Amino acid sequence: MSLALGLVIIPLLAALLMLLWPRLARGLQLAAALLCTILATMLLQLVQQEGSQQLFIGGWNPLLAIRWQADSVTALLLLLSAVLHLLVSGYALAVQQRDKLAAAFWPLSSLLLASLQALWLSRDLFNLYVCLELLGMVAVALVTLSGDKAMRPALHYLLFSLFASLCYLLGVALLYGAYGALDLPLLQGQLQANSLTAAALVLITLGLMLKAAWWPLHLWLPAAHAAAPAPVSALLSALVVKGPLFILVLVWTTLAPAAFLNVAAYAFLVCALGALLLAGVAALRTPYSKTLVAYSTVAQLGYAMLALALMLSFNLPVFTAALWLFVMAHALAKAACFLSIGEMQQTLGVKKVAQLKGASQTMPLAMFAFAVAGGSLIGLPPSGGFLAKWVMLLGLWQAQQYFLLLVLLVATLVSAAYIFRVVVLAFDRAEPTAPDFSPQLLPQWLALLPALAVWAMAFFSMPLLAILQQELS
Amino acid sequence: MIDLSQLLWPGAGLGLTSTLQQGWFAFTLLLWLAAALYSLSSQRADRQQARYWLFMGLCFSGNLLLIAAQDALSFYLGFSLMSLAATALVLHTGSKAAKRAGRLYLQLAVLGELLLFSALVLRAAAAGGQYDWQSWQAVELDHLTISLFLLGLGLKAGFFPLHLWLPQAHPVAPAPASAVLSGAMIKAGIFGLWFFLPAGDATLQLWLPYLALLGLVSAYFGAIAALCHTAPKTILAYSSVSQMGYLLLLLTASWQLASSTPYTVTLLLLVAYAAHHAFAKGALFLLAGSAAKYRFAIFDKACALIAALSMMALPFSSGAAVKTALKTLTAELRLPYLQSISWLLSLGALLSALALWHFLSQLWQQQQLAHHRVPVLQQVAVALLAILLILLPWAWPLLQYYSLHALTSYAWLGLITPVLLALLGYRYLFAIVALPLQRIGQGSRWVFRLSLWLKRRYQPIRQLTLPAFSVNWRALRQQGWYKALRRFKG
Amino acid sequence: MTALLPYLPILIILSSLLPGLIIFSLKETQIKLRTWLNMLGVTVKLIFVWLMWRAVKAGQEVTFSLPFLPGADLVLHGDALSLLFVILSSILWLATTIYAIGYLEGSPLRSRFFGYFSLCVSATVGLALSGNLVTFLLFYELLTLATFPLVVHRGTAQSLAAAKRYLGYTLGGGVLLMFGVALLHMLTQSPDFTPGGYLLPLVASDRALLQLAFVLLIAGLGVKAALLPLHGWLPQAMVAPAPVSALLHAVAVVKAGAFGIIRVVYDVFGVQSIQQLNVATPLMLLAALTILYGSWRALAQQDIKKRLAYSTISQVSYVTLGVAMLGPLAAVGALVHLVHQGVMKITLFFCAGNYAETLGIHDIRELNGVGKRMPLTSLAFTVGALGMIGIPPTAGFISKWYLGLGAAEVDQGWLIGVFVLSGLLNAAYFLPVVYRIWFTQQRLPWPHPQQLSKKLETHWMLLSPPLFTMLLVLLMGLFASTDISPLSWSELIVEREFSYD
């Protein structure tokens, strides 16, 4: 379990050292990210071999101590966040001079990683709250790195985030008052289906939904993600919104009494449909390229919601697998999307979608990265997105949910529409937008990397599903 | 027989296995030879000479191929090669009339081709995937197949009422092309009917009376229609319609008699009739071609007389032999409503003779307008056909019998009367009816109008299309669905 | 050699994929290297295909598989049917590559073009070789993605619109296909394609679901095969450069759909299940309707390529119709038409491209007298057109003949009427063009004449592919009974497909 500890402490330590010696920041960042990746890989191996690991911080007994648990899903998420962090760090390193990336990026992003890793590991409602709060604060701080123009979205983000934390905290307090425990495994099965529990769960869910930018509570997200610098948007969209989602899944699959599940599933379903369709249409209509990608995040989170809703209403293991596959595929694809769009925005000096005209000639690699990542978002085979969608499709056919199949069909087409809205433009040969300076290759390749990774994911579907199955059994 | 089934398609083969094929092949080859000889002279000044020879060559190979075919597909290959290549011959001069006629010809040729195709498919399916002629002989026919064959091949053979293209296309083609069109190519239709419809079939027997009637009607119609026109080649074309009617009649008779008389004999008579018509009609077409440009010498006039009189079946000529044979064979034919057809045949002979006198008179008038003498090569070609025509009834033992038979006093009288009557009638009475008849003849333009109407249907400038819409998102937000849908122009 | 055998399918795909990927990274100016790579890829692929052909002919089956999804490996399988399509696409790829090199000479963004071009062929070949539905789905979608940049290559407003439409249709179709495949996978996993299908045991229990799956699969495949309500993208997509249209119409896209329908009917459902599910008749009616509709629409098109595009809609449905008839002879007709139509249509598109590139002719009315200026191209066009009508001795006749026999065999005589009517319509829109080419005089000067060659009528790289394919059209029609003809091969396939019990 020292591995898990290391995963949190190393980035934390790195962040502190960066503050002390800003000159070493980049080196430290890379080293920490690399180390985390290695540790996460090792942890994944360990979990695969020996089953889920538990750690009680401080070594006290479960009642008092803070419980950390590294099961297979957690290990996967740890690895995912470490890898993406490494990648984004590399990208940031490649573009920092050109984009005048603020020095604060390095410690803040390390801190982000640390809080995220801690969040994946925690199995304690209050500890989760701390991680969530830290995550939110760091994220807001990162958004502000874009300078003055990002202040407004960042402020919105902060306010929403604070309100959400408050809701969550209130809910947790109610639960603590009623049941006297915060540890999830301890609370499991204890909750009664009364109005107090209901209120607590509603508060917790509301807070988490706000933080995870679930439709219709996503209003802060497009502006904030669009305003942030490209590497930050990539981290925010790929990882940060997944944190609250993780907690939500934990709360609803372990804590919630069975009587509430149907209502919750119904509510999640409605949100999911709204996200899939309406946010998709919003992405189709927005004139700004980054906002498009941000809306796509909201829309894609709809799949996760749908999977969660189905998980709650049908006892089919495929939906759990689908959920985490969506999370992983989306993280990789979205990182690639934001990095490539950011790269194009910087190089071409434009913000609007329409101005990406001819990008396939001026910046073929970045555009290719966007298209490839987009393929995964649509769910084209053989990509991670396809894998997730495939698993979900199998489940839906099995559960005979014809209406949802239809929705999924439409949602897929909508996502194809907004992805190809950009891609088609890129092939326009008439008056392509000229780059401000000659495009750099390295960042474009770095943007392509996660996109390729998400396509490679499909070929590791067997081990991935095996890992997720391990969690279920 | 050359077996090509390993190479081409199952059952593919070429060869002249039956007497009918041999005879047919022989006269076709001779006619083509004469036409080619004639072309050497007539197309010398042609700017599109290469194209002419190319398509003549294609037609020629198609024509011979379909005769030598031992299986359905080879026949069809030759048939379509010939049909389509002939379009180029009809179109060759490039005049407005040629274009019109070419269009009509092509429309009907393609139609006939596809009808024949469907008939062949049905037949091949009935034969269990066998395509060779031998195995088809044992397979029963059905009414649909018979009617498809009749329509498909009839459109080529040009008997009434499927003759529409024939009088339009023959006059506009170059003379040697018309000669082979009329002498050899349209006979492919009759040949095909023989080839594909087994004589002994019970269903076919039910059709025979009506087919015979159709043949007679066609014979009458062609002869009468010929009188309504003045252009020599048009007259000849209608005369061909009439002669195809006789051939159909003969074919029907041979089918009916297949069980009683030896089938090969009747078939030989069919060949003889076809050969006679090919040589005579070929010669007349060539002469008509010459008459358009050159003044006739005695020799040319003699050739024209020989060919025309032979067609009128004057005793000693090939026509007399084949007509006598026709009369003998059809004596036992039973037609609906009609007891005997021998007097009908006599009346037909009268009409034929009238038509040919009419042709000769028009030919005479036409050649007087020109000044130059007919080139020797053209004369040679015509002479070749004339000699063949003279030799035909005497050199061929089978026809010798009928030629001699025609010389008996009774038959002799029967043959010569219509010719003389026609001559007298034409000389003294035709002037009265000439004008009304010509007016009737002009009525045949409806065919072109139909063809043009058809062309406009299949070459439309605009078509009814379903509207397609695209959504204008911006307008959707501001003005609602109604405005947002724009007509999509694809 | 036998050690190589199991890897042949993947090698066949890689032989175009790798050159394609390398070509992407080449600079515009590296023309020699690019051409060389292209030709190397083609040659290597043909050698591999030849090796596989020998093996399959001898009765061996070549399978290569990778683990992919649970219950559905990535299976590449070389059987007689897949080889038919592989050979077609490899040979036509050869012709099209040469043509494209000549066609695009001097135009920008060629590296990108040839890169995607190779990817497109890789996807097509992969699709042909795929051994189960999931693999098929994968390559089906990849094909969409690989062809899209080719359709949009010109980058004009028109081609952008066409590409959008193309994507809309094909992605929609792809999603439907995915849903259908998932449904079948849920029911029985995705076993390898088997002659006679593998769904028969389920017909009794899951009748409605199987019918739904069939509809979804056919709708998904029908988009690419341009079945009637789903054909809208095809006439638009003809704005692509001529080699792309040629490839799209003859091999890659529409054939992928048709091939998929063949696979689904014979190797997934199987004739028996289809009969029990009662789904063949609607498909047959739809295909017949498409045949007539496509031909009818082609009549009014004045743009050469557009007329050809509508003709494709009509002609590809012959394949579907042949499949839907469910008889062995009709199947032979359908399979052989898959090849024949490809070769004929590619000839026509090559010729249309030649007219456009050499003389700037796009409209049929500008073709007057072009036979004198470009006799060889016009000859190829004429042969292709006659083939489309079904005149012997072209290849088109053979396929139509077998389709007709098949229709008579399964007692659907009215379908012969459909073939006749379609033949008439084909004649009605092709023969006037042929007439213009050969029998009319040139009235106006050519729109944009270019002197592409000193001796020949056009660049030799533009001239040789249509002549080559024209020759194929004639040879395939004439020597239909020989061992190496598509007809014999189709008969072999049908023998293997219909002798499962």
Side-chain angles (χ1 to χ4, degrees):
Chain A
M1 264 333 269
S2 49
L3 286 175
L5 217 53
L7 275 171
V8 179
I9 289 179
I10 288 170
L12 203 60
L13 213 60
L16 282 177
L17 290 176
M18 282 176 211
L19 289 175
L20 289 178
W21 292 290
R23 283 199 185 163
L24 293 181
R26 281 151 235 151
L28 278 170
Q29 172 97 353
L30 271 190
L34 209 59
L35 212 54
C36 277
T37 313
I38 294 167
L39 287 183
T41 320
M42 286 163 72
L43 183 64
L44 183 63
Q45 269 177 347
L46 188 75
V47 170
Q48 254 184 302
Q49 279 158 11
E50 298 175 15
S52 73
Q53 309 279 312
Q54 302 227 1
L55 175 71
F56 298 100
I57 307 264
W60 291 311
N61 66 0
L63 258 179
L64 290 171
I66 300 167
R67 186 202 292 262
W68 278 10
Q69 183 177 329
D71 48 30
S72 47
V73 171
T74 307
L76 266 181
L77 289 172
L78 285 169
L79 180 61
L80 179 75
S81 42
V83 166
L84 274 180
H85 186 256
L86 178 64
L87 232 145
V88 172
S89 305
Y91 176 83
L93 210 60
V95 301
Q96 51 144 351
Q97 289 208 323
R98 185 190 74 194
D99 294 359
K100 302 188 183 64
L101 203 59
F105 172 80
W106 309 108
L108 279 174
S109 64
S110 269
L111 209 55
L112 188 84
L113 180 66
S115 49
L116 203 60
Q117 306 282 48
L119 190 147
W120 301 140
L121 285 163
S122 304
R123 291 293 182 278
D124 173 299
L125 282 176
F126 187 73
N127 198 16
L128 282 171
Y129 164 74
V130 175
C131 298
L132 200 61
E133 194 59 36
L134 191 58
L135 193 66
M137 289 302 145
V138 176
V140 170
L142 278 168
V143 172
T144 59
L145 290 184
S146 274
D148 289 345
K149 66 185 161 104
M151 279 309 162
R152 238 179 110 85
L155 197 65
H156 274 268
Y157 186 13
L158 183 67
L159 288 176
F160 271 108
S161 184
L162 280 177
F163 179 70
S165 303
L166 223 63
C167 284
Y168 177 79
L169 194 60
L170 208 59
V172 171
L174 282 177
L175 281 186
Y176 188 67
Y179 301 100
L182 290 169
D183 190 61
L184 284 174
L186 282 180
L187 279 171
Q188 189 164 16
Q190 301 293 314
L191 265 61
Q192 269 105 46
N194 53 24
S195 53
L196 182 107
T197 314
L201 284 178
V202 165
L203 280 170
I204 289 177
T205 308
L206 210 63
L208 292 172
M209 277 171 76
L210 253 174
K211 284 230 168 203
W214 279 25
W215 192 90
L217 304 175
H218 64 284
L219 297 172
W220 59 270
L221 185 136
H225 283 199
V232 174
S233 326
L235 284 178
L236 292 187
S237 236
L239 297 174
V240 172
V241 288
K242 308 288 162 42
L245 172 71
F246 179 74
I247 304 175
L248 207 55
V249 175
L250 276 185
V251 166
W252 280 100
T253 50
T254 59
L255 287 191
F260 292 168
L261 291 187
N262 269 335
V263 183
Y266 192 72
F268 289 153
L269 198 65
V270 172
C271 294
L273 298 193
L276 285 173
L277 301 178
L278 297 179
V281 171
L284 211 51
R285 285 174 40 180
T286 176
Y288 299 102
S289 51
K290 260 186 137 177
T291 319
L292 182 146
V293 183
Y295 268 117
S296 136
T297 302
V298 179
Q300 294 283 321
L301 282 172
Y303 285 118
M305 274 185 258
L306 189 62
L308 178 58
L310 292 165
M311 233 164 101
L312 297 182
S313 44
F314 301 98
N315 194 19
L316 289 173
V318 281
F319 291 124
T320 319
L323 174 66
W324 297 118
L325 286 172
F326 264 121
V327 166
M328 281 183 282
H330 176 247
L332 287 168
K334 204 36 75 69
C337 272
F338 264 118
L339 292 185
S340 53
I341 282 285
E343 188 59 24
M344 282 188 271
Q345 275 201 358
Q346 284 295 336
T347 311
L348 302 176
V350 297
K351 275 189 175 170
K352 291 200 166 178
V353 175
Q355 289 164 320
L356 290 175
K357 218 159 81 166
S360 78
Q361 293 125 61
T362 47
M363 302 190 68
L365 213 51
M367 200 61 222
F368 187 66
F370 179 81
V372 169
S376 172
L377 292 182
I378 302 169
L380 296 175
S383 65
F386 163 72
L387 185 60
K389 205 164 257 177
W390 174 258
V391 172
M392 180 174 254
L393 269 179
L394 291 185
L396 282 176
W397 280 118
Q398 215 171 337
Q400 307 200 328
Q401 295 296 311
Y402 299 117
F403 172 69
L404 290 182
L405 280 165
L406 193 68
V407 172
L408 209 60
L409 180 85
V410 177
T412 309
L413 291 182
V414 171
S415 58
Y418 62 69
I419 293 296
F420 279 101
R421 181 182 161 206
V422 181
V423 177
V424 170
L425 260 182
F427 282 90
D428 197 340
R429 274 206 210 166
E431 307 160 21
T433 311
D436 293 352
F437 40 83
S438 79
Q440 282 173 288
L441 271 186
L442 181 64
Q444 295 192 49
W445 273 108
L446 284 171
L448 182 59
L449 223 49
L452 292 180
V454 75
W455 279 64
M457 213 176 119
F459 288 95
F460 296 100
S461 65
M462 297 284 215
L464 269 177
L465 285 170
I467 293 170
L468 292 171
Q469 297 288 326
Q470 193 183 358
E471 152 83 351
L472 299 170
S473 56
Chain B
M1 180 179 148
I2 314 166
D3 184 15
L4 296 169
S5 51
Q6 287 307 308
L7 212 55
L8 304 182
W9 41 79
L14 290 179
L16 301 170
T17 49
S18 68
T19 43
L20 184 122
Q21 281 180 312
Q22 288 157 1
W24 213 284
F25 195 86
F27 84 73
T28 308
L29 197 61
L30 287 169
L31 179 62
W32 274 97
L33 190 68
L37 264 180
Y38 187 92
S39 309
L40 281 178
S41 152
S42 70
Q43 305 307 120
R44 183 173 287 157
D46 192 348
R47 281 173 56 221
Q48 303 269 26
Q49 219 183 94
R51 192 174 79 187
Y52 174 82
W53 284 107
L54 170 70
F55 284 103
M56 278 296 261
L58 287 176
C59 279
F60 176 61
S61 41
N63 200 349
L64 292 192
L65 176 62
L66 77 89
I67 296 169
Q70 287 296 315
D71 66 293
L73 293 191
S74 307
F75 177 91
Y76 188 61
L77 170 59
F79 188 81
S80 26
L81 188 63
M82 185 187 80
S83 284
L84 291 182
T87 317
L89 297 178
V90 176
L91 283 168
H92 186 73
T93 56
S95 65
K96 200 181 161 205
K99 281 181 189 167
R100 276 193 319 194
R103 183 172 66 224
L104 178 67
Y105 172 78
L106 192 59
Q107 285 168 341
L108 292 176
V110 170
L111 182 66
E113 193 121 323
L114 287 162
L115 289 173
L116 178 61
F117 169 80
S118 41
L120 289 180
V121 165
L122 287 175
R123 198 88 181 99
Q130 298 293 319
Y131 309 139
D132 57 311
W133 181 74
Q134 281 301 333
S135 41
W136 281 26
Q137 293 300 309
V139 182
E140 280 183 25
L141 288 164
D142 56 69
H143 289 294
L144 177 66
T145 316
I146 295 177
S147 31
L148 284 172
F149 270 124
L150 276 176
L151 284 173
L153 293 165
L155 274 170
K156 171 75 20 193
F159 48 74
F160 179 86
L162 304 169
H163 66 283
L164 296 176
W165 61 275
L166 206 143
Q168 324 294 346
H170 284 197
V172 294
S178 325
V180 285
L181 260 173
S182 198
M185 290 198 229
I186 57 172
K187 296 210 173 55
I190 296 293
F191 180 84
L193 285 177
W194 165 78
F195 192 75
F196 289 119
L197 301 176
D201 191 84
T203 320
L204 182 65
Q205 293 294 330
L206 298 177
W207 282 70
L208 292 185
Y210 303 98
L211 285 181
L213 194 63
L214 189 67
L216 264 186
V217 170
S218 183
Y220 277 61
F221 169 83
I224 294 169
L227 293 174
C228 301
H229 294 267
T230 50
K233 283 172 101 178
T234 313
I235 301 173
L236 283 182
Y238 275 113
S239 154
S240 287
V241 175
S242 156
Q243 295 296 318
M244 293 316 283
Y246 284 121
L247 267 175
L248 183 63
L249 194 63
L250 198 55
L251 181 67
T252 319
S254 77
W255 277 333
Q256 182 152 40
L257 301 174
S259 45
S260 52
T261 327
Y263 191 35
T264 40
V265 174
T266 55
L267 287 185
L268 279 177
L269 287 174
L270 188 65
V271 177
Y273 200 106
H276 146 75
H277 177 240
F279 297 148
K281 198 46 72 63
L284 290 180
F285 262 115
L286 294 183
L287 282 166
S290 302
K293 280 189 196 160
Y294 307 106
R295 183 185 277 272
F296 278 5
I298 295 292
F299 173 77
D300 303 302
K301 288 181 179 169
C303 284
L305 262 179
I306 289 173
L309 287 175
S310 173
M311 285 209 66
M312 291 183 220
L314 205 70
F316 295 103
S317 72
S318 58
V322 294
K323 279 274 160 66
T324 316
L326 179 70
K327 251 181 195 169
T328 332
L329 281 183
T330 49
E332 290 166 47
L333 210 56
R334 289 286 160 272
L335 295 185
Y337 315 115
L338 297 172
Q339 288 304 316
S340 155
I341 63 165
S342 73
W343 65 273
L344 282 174
L345 285 178
S346 301
L347 186 60
L350 177 71
L351 285 171
S352 275
L354 260 178
L356 283 159
W357 284 124
H358 180 49
F359 165 73
L360 281 179
S361 108
Q362 298 299 328
L363 192 69
W364 252 242
Q365 283 175 28
Q366 196 181 33
Q367 55 92 26
Q368 281 168 2
L369 302 174
H371 301 289
H372 299 286
R373 298 279 300 278
V374 181
V376 179
L377 208 51
Q378 298 190 5
Q379 287 179 326
V380 169
V382 174
L384 175 70
L385 289 175
I387 291 168
L388 284 169
L389 208 54
I390 295 168
L391 284 180
L392 186 69
W394 306 108
W396 195 345
L398 178 79
L399 279 188
Q400 262 174 25
Y401 164 75
Y402 285 103
S403 303
L404 292 173
H405 189 68
L407 290 180
T408 56
S409 58
Y410 178 70
W412 193 80
L413 208 63
L415 285 169
I416 203 151
T417 322
V419 178
L420 289 178
L421 265 181
L423 179 62
L424 290 174
Y426 185 75
R427 183 80 182 79
Y428 296 109
L429 298 178
F430 187 70
I432 305 166
V433 288
L435 269 177
L437 278 179
Q438 274 177 32
R439 202 159 296 150
I440 296 173
Q442 280 162 4
S444 66
R445 294 209 180 141
W446 66 270
V447 181
F448 288 128
R449 255 174 253 136
L450 183 72
S451 152
L452 191 68
W453 178 85
L454 202 63
K455 182 206 153 186
R456 290 195 178 131
R457 293 292 83 66
Y458 67 72
Q459 288 190 307
I461 306 297
R462 305 180 67 174
Q463 254 174 352
L464 183 75
T465 51
L466 290 175
F469 292 100
S470 69
V471 180
N472 178 0
W473 290 103
R474 200 158 295 149
L476 178 67
R477 194 162 35 179
Q478 289 156 2
Q479 292 157 306
W481 279 105
Y482 180 72
K483 286 275 171 65
L485 287 178
R486 276 181 308 193
R487 183 71 195 268
F488 187 83
K489 292 190 187 76
Chain C
M1 212 38 89
T2 41
L4 194 64
L5 209 53
Y7 298 101
L8 272 181
I10 192 80
L11 285 175
I12 288 176
I13 295 178
L14 287 180
S15 62
S16 50
L17 184 65
L18 290 182
L21 293 179
I22 300 172
I23 286 170
F24 272 123
S25 64
L26 294 184
K27 290 199 182 78
E28 267 314 303
T29 46
Q30 290 170 298
I31 298 168
K32 275 232 175 89
L33 181 59
R34 191 171 53 220
T35 311
W36 192 78
L37 265 174
N38 263 324
M39 295 326 285
L40 180 77
V42 178
T43 323
V44 170
K45 181 188 285 273
L46 281 174
I47 292 172
F48 286 141
V49 169
W50 177 71
L51 284 176
M52 194 156 158
W53 178 75
R54 257 189 6 176
V56 171
K57 201 169 154 57
Q60 280 173 295
E61 300 224 325
V62 193
T63 310
F64 174 87
S65 91
L66 277 175
F68 181 48
L69 294 179
D73 284 350
L74 199 67
V75 180
L76 295 173
H77 179 80
D79 58 6
L81 175 56
S82 56
L83 214 59
L84 180 82
F85 197 25
V86 169
I87 294 174
L88 171 75
S89 41
S90 314
I91 291 182
L92 293 191
W93 187 38
L94 169 72
T96 319
T97 306
I98 296 175
Y99 188 82
I101 293 171
Y103 188 88
L104 293 174
E105 201 164 70
S107 72
L109 295 172
R110 271 177 293 168
S111 278
R112 183 180 91 185
F113 180 87
F114 282 105
Y116 283 116
F117 202 68
S118 299
L119 289 196
C120 172
V121 173
S122 311
T124 313
V125 173
L127 186 130
L129 287 170
S130 39
N132 60 21
L133 266 181
V134 172
T135 318
F136 183 88
L137 170 70
L138 189 152
F139 283 109
Y140 193 77
E141 299 280 18
L142 286 182
L143 183 62
T144 305
L145 297 185
T147 40
F148 157 74
L150 297 177
V151 174
V152 79
H153 183 74
R154 286 221 166 107
T156 58
Q158 213 190 355
S159 54
L160 289 183
K164 270 186 203 162
R165 196 166 239 238
Y166 172 66
L167 273 178
Y169 274 92
T170 48
L171 283 177
V175 176
L176 287 178
L177 184 70
M178 180 160 114
F179 277 50
V181 173
L183 172 54
L184 285 184
H185 188 88
M186 189 273 287
L187 290 172
T188 65
Q189 307 287 43
S190 293
D192 291 357
F193 292 134
T194 13
Y198 51 77
L199 294 174
L200 199 56
L202 293 174
V203 169
S205 55
D206 293 296
R207 195 182 164 77
L209 277 184
L210 284 185
Q211 280 171 337
L212 178 62
F214 187 79
V215 170
L216 283 172
L217 291 178
I218 294 297
L221 296 165
V223 169
K224 284 215 169 116
L227 273 179
L228 188 50
L230 309 169
H231 66 282
W233 61 274
L234 191 62
Q236 285 241 306
M238 62 88 213
V239 296
V244 176
S245 318
L247 203 66
L248 234 64
H249 284 253
V251 202
V253 178
V254 290
K255 283 305 160 56
F259 181 77
I261 292 177
I262 296 177
R263 276 288 193 211
V264 164
V265 169
Y266 290 127
D267 290 346
V268 174
F269 280 79
V271 172
Q272 232 173 325
S273 326
I274 299 263
Q275 274 164 349
Q276 289 179 19
L277 289 171
N278 278 335
V279 282
T281 315
L283 182 61
M284 199 158 71
L285 288 175
L286 192 64
L289 203 61
T290 312
I291 289 176
L292 295 181
Y293 176 81
S295 293
W296 177 69
R297 285 302 302 274
L299 292 175
Q301 308 304 323
Q302 296 305 328
D303 188 301
I304 304 172
K305 282 174 86 180
K306 215 161 190 178
R307 189 172 283 199
L308 292 181
Y310 274 106
S311 150
T312 304
I313 294 176
S314 160
Q315 292 282 337
V316 171
S317 285
Y318 278 64
V319 180
T320 313
L321 185 58
V323 173
M325 283 192 262
L326 299 180
L329 280 175
V332 172
L335 291 171
V336 84
H337 197 60
L338 190 82
V339 177
H340 287 170
Q341 193 270 350
V343 182
M344 294 187 296
K345 193 41 73 69
I346 212 167
T347 311
L348 290 172
F349 267 104
F350 283 155
C351 294
N354 278 0
Y355 291 140
E357 195 61 12
T358 317
L359 302 175
I361 293 174
H362 295 281
D363 195 294
I364 282 169
R365 284 163 293 201
E366 296 162 346
L367 277 172
N368 282 5
V370 82
K372 278 224 181 65
R373 170 69 178 77
M374 302 178 71
L376 290 174
T377 305
S378 303
L379 180 67
F381 188 91
T382 309
V383 170
L386 292 181
M388 284 291 163
I389 307 169
I391 304 287
T394 57
F397 169 69
I398 299 290
S399 38
K400 214 159 162 183
W401 176 257
Y402 274 87
L403 285 170
L405 281 185
E409 184 192 40
V410 295
D411 280 330
Q412 302 277 356
W414 63 277
L415 284 176
I416 299 177
V418 171
F419 294 135
V420 167
L421 201 53
S422 168
L424 281 179
L425 289 170
N426 267 287
Y429 62 76
F430 273 130
L431 290 183
V433 182
V434 173
Y435 172 77
R436 268 179 200 283
I437 291 176
W438 295 110
F439 293 99
T440 50
Q441 301 297 318
Q442 179 189 356
R443 279 196 216 115
L444 300 166
W446 308 120
H448 295 289
Q450 280 180 322
Q451 189 69 35
L452 293 174
S453 162
K454 278 177 190 151
K455 285 183 188 162
L456 298 167
E457 59 195 54
T458 182
H459 197 285
W460 71 269
M461 282 183 141
L462 295 180
L463 190 57
S464 48
L467 290 180
F468 168 66
T469 49
M470 174 194 83
L471 213 60
L472 279 185
V473 171
L474 290 175
L475 289 179
M476 290 190 310
L478 259 179
F479 299 103
S481 244
T482 46
D483 271 359
I484 51 166
S485 73
L487 180 65
S488 308
W489 193 257
S490 306
E491 279 169 343
L492 176 80
I493 297 170
V494 169
E495 210 172 278
R496 291 185 183 174
E497 291 283 339
F498 277 80
S499 61
Y500 44 85
D501 39 29

